[in-house]
Amino acid sequence: MFGLADVNSFYASCEKVFRPDLRDKPVIVLSNNDGCCIARSQQAKRLGVKMGDPWFKIREQHYAEKLYVFSSNYALYASLSTRVMACLEELAPCVEPYSIDEMFLDLHGVDTLVDFETFGTRLCEHVYACTRLSIGVGMGPTKTLAKSAQWASKEWPAFRGVLALTPDNKTRTSKLLSLQPVQEVWGVGNRTARKLNAMKITTALQLALVNTAFIRKNFNVVLERTVRELNGESCISFEDVPSAKQQIVCSRSFGERITTFEDMRQAICQYAERAAEKLRIERQFCSHISVFIKTSPFSRTEPYYANVASEKLLTPSQDTRDVIAAALRALERIWRNDHRYARAGVMLNDFSMSGIAQLNLFDEQPPQPRSQELMKVLDGINQSGLAHLWFAGRGVAPGWKMKREMLSPAYTTRWKDLPLARIG
């Protein structure tokens, strides 16, 4: 049996943890640069706020009660996500993180001690006691059925956030799948769902009953795997060790349009620095660095320009200095004046597990001396919480910095933002 634990309205719920006055209030969280709604509490959903609604439209609406709005606080969300995962690891036999607010659970042998739904209820209670975040838990003989069960546990309050689809209760499984729209099935995208609907396949149960050879012929092996999973055949294995990343991307939209090379150089320097930090966390070395820049595709009065350039390192590296230098060389090749740039980013590819390579006599950028020792010291200081070091090339207070005008405090990652409790 597999389980899937998912935090309810994760971003919005995180904003409420240290604000008990907002416990029953409508809360939404905005995307980068306070662009559009990306998370809603249940109270906000009842007010009619929709995912993707732009902030400038929401701001002009008149709702039945006050709407509390927050900018994305990624440091807070990552910290609380780590705490939730730790709680689940304390009770589940084996775990597999799936996203920032979801984790698959290996429930093998759990039913020899307690029934699955009782165990799911204990998971919910333990996570809430430790983090004040509520989760939903779905369980099934395959990962896809566990996802369907988790979807149903949120869709119908009668389940109280916990639902198990066991192999010995096929009637319950069939009933749930008959009520689940096919577009809600894990692994079925919008385009595939439209094609299925055109074939009169509108529910998960109808999809499960389709012949797998027909699915393979008219769609792909991925959807065939989904059909088999819906029928209780486990095709997606449990991965207790996350697979190594094949690419690292660090990209942001700018709070203000960038028009000068110096501002863009600072932005690329900052993104390259962050990408190199992620690379070292993955314990990888990269040989391929790409940079992209683009103007807004939605502007009707300005010409659209987008371009990408890459640099190849002859010796794989995880040194921030090497990544920044390569990224800036790539930027120089694609920069064009007289444009108002809206977004840029740095991408790292071609990873290896070590920086050992045959040195090239004609390499103009030989390996930095004592590189690993320096990067270890740099990361140690930055992860200590006591200080932060950065490369001067990224600037001090850039005007293009991402807008987050309604940012909540970093309650769990910054000492000065630590909440204080007063008694009496």
Side-chain angles (χ1 to χ4, degrees):
M1 287 285 286
F2 296 89
L4 180 73
D6 179 24
V7 184
N8 300 323
S9 305
F10 180 58
Y11 285 3
S13 297
C14 288
E15 297 293 351
K16 293 185 177 189
V17 169
F18 296 97
R19 289 285 304 272
D21 57 310
L22 301 181
R23 185 167 300 160
D24 299 316
K25 304 295 183 181
V27 169
I28 68 169
V29 177
L30 302 177
S31 63
N32 291 344
N33 291 308
D34 297 339
C36 62
C37 174
I38 58 171
R40 307 162 294 165
S41 66
Q42 289 296 328
Q43 296 84 359
K45 293 177 184 178
R46 287 196 288 267
L47 288 180
V49 182
K50 294 181 173 57
M51 289 287 283
D53 280 356
W55 168 231
F56 71 87
K57 287 187 177 180
I58 295 175
R59 187 169 46 195
E60 296 172 354
Q61 295 291 329
H62 297 285
Y63 297 101
E65 55 181 305
K66 182 179 178 180
L67 187 66
Y68 293 85
V69 184
F70 293 91
S71 303
S72 296
N73 189 339
Y74 300 117
L76 175 64
Y77 308 151
S79 173
L80 290 179
S81 172
T82 301
R83 297 183 185 204
V84 171
M85 301 301 182
C87 291
L88 295 171
E89 286 181 302
E90 290 172 0
L91 297 185
C94 198
V95 299
E96 177 193 338
Y98 177 63
S99 68
I100 192 172
D101 64 339
E102 292 179 280
M103 177 178 278
F104 279 110
L105 315 171
D106 183 358
L107 304 182
H108 180 74
V110 167
D111 56 330
T112 61
L113 302 174
V114 65
D115 66 85
F116 288 114
E117 292 191 347
T118 299
F119 178 74
T121 300
R122 291 178 181 175
L123 282 175
C124 295
E125 292 172 348
H126 182 58
V127 170
Y128 185 79
C130 295
T131 66
R132 281 301 184 264
L133 293 170
S134 61
I135 64 171
V137 181
M139 291 163 276
T142 70
K143 282 186 172 181
T144 302
L145 286 175
K147 286 281 286 187
S148 293
Q150 195 278 327
W151 169 83
S153 72
K154 286 186 175 182
E155 194 73 10
W156 290 287
F159 291 121
R160 297 182 179 179
V162 179
L163 175 61
L165 299 177
T166 54
D168 59 350
N169 194 343
K170 296 185 181 298
T171 302
R172 168 183 267 195
T173 301
S174 298
K175 179 65 174 178
L176 185 154
L177 295 181
S178 70
L179 298 174
Q180 184 180 25
V182 72
Q183 63 267 23
E184 296 292 343
V185 175
W186 187 42
V188 177
N190 291 332
R191 183 180 300 177
T192 301
R194 288 194 296 269
K195 188 175 179 180
L196 290 170
N197 289 337
M199 297 177 175
K200 307 299 182 184
I201 302 173
T202 59
T203 68
L205 181 61
Q206 291 173 333
L207 178 60
L209 296 176
V210 178
N211 184 275
T212 53
F214 175 85
I215 291 294
R216 187 189 311 165
K217 178 180 178 181
N218 292 275
F219 292 89
N220 51 49
V221 69
V222 176
L223 189 62
E224 178 194 356
R225 184 180 63 184
T226 298
V227 172
R228 292 182 182 276
E229 289 248 329
L230 289 173
N231 284 283
E233 179 184 347
S234 182
C235 301
I236 307 174
S237 61
F238 193 86
E239 299 179 6
D240 52 353
V241 178
S243 57
K245 291 184 178 180
Q246 302 300 312
Q247 183 183 67
I248 291 176
V249 180
C250 188
S251 172
R252 292 286 186 275
S253 295
F254 303 126
E256 300 289 343
R257 295 289 189 266
I258 283 185
T259 58
T260 67
F261 180 79
E262 177 58 25
D263 284 344
M264 183 63 78
R265 188 188 64 79
Q266 290 182 7
I268 293 300
C269 180
Q270 179 173 327
Y271 300 158
E273 182 180 352
R274 178 58 184 144
E277 289 175 358
K278 292 182 178 181
L279 185 67
R280 291 193 292 274
I281 291 173
E282 292 289 316
R283 299 182 180 179
Q284 299 269 29
F285 292 74
C286 79
S287 300
H288 193 267
I289 296 100
S290 299
V291 169
F292 70 86
I293 56 176
K294 60 175 64 177
T295 60
S296 173
F298 306 107
S299 177
R300 297 181 179 179
T301 60
E302 301 174 358
Y304 177 68
Y305 174 73
N307 208 342
V308 60
S310 301
E311 285 284 320
K312 181 75 173 178
L313 299 181
L314 295 180
T315 304
S317 176
Q318 59 176 197
D319 191 303
T320 300
R321 294 169 294 177
D322 293 335
V323 176
I324 291 176
L328 294 181
R329 290 196 301 271
L331 173 63
E332 290 175 354
R333 302 209 312 269
I334 58 176
W335 173 262
R336 297 292 182 273
N337 290 316
D338 302 323
H339 285 292
R340 287 162 40 85
Y341 294 95
R343 190 178 184 89
V346 174
M347 299 177 289
L348 307 185
N349 297 281
D350 194 7
F351 294 165
S352 60
M353 294 301 294
S354 73
I356 300 176
Q358 178 65 46
L359 298 181
N360 191 314
L361 180 63
F362 304 102
D363 189 355
E364 296 180 358
Q365 287 84 36
Q368 303 272 6
R370 305 193 68 180
S371 169
Q372 288 187 284
E373 291 87 344
L374 177 61
M375 292 300 108
K376 185 176 180 180
V377 171
L378 180 65
D379 293 338
I381 293 173
N382 289 340
Q383 294 168 10
S384 68
L386 301 176
H388 184 74
L389 298 178
W390 68 89
F391 286 77
R394 60 183 279 185
V396 178
W400 47 264
K401 190 174 181 180
M402 184 171 61
K403 285 184 179 178
R404 292 198 286 180
E405 297 176 351
M406 293 158 284
L407 184 66
S408 56
Y411 296 108
T412 60
T413 56
R414 187 181 299 139
W415 283 109
K416 69 177 184 179
D417 289 347
L418 192 70
L420 301 177
R422 294 180 175 84
I423 301 175

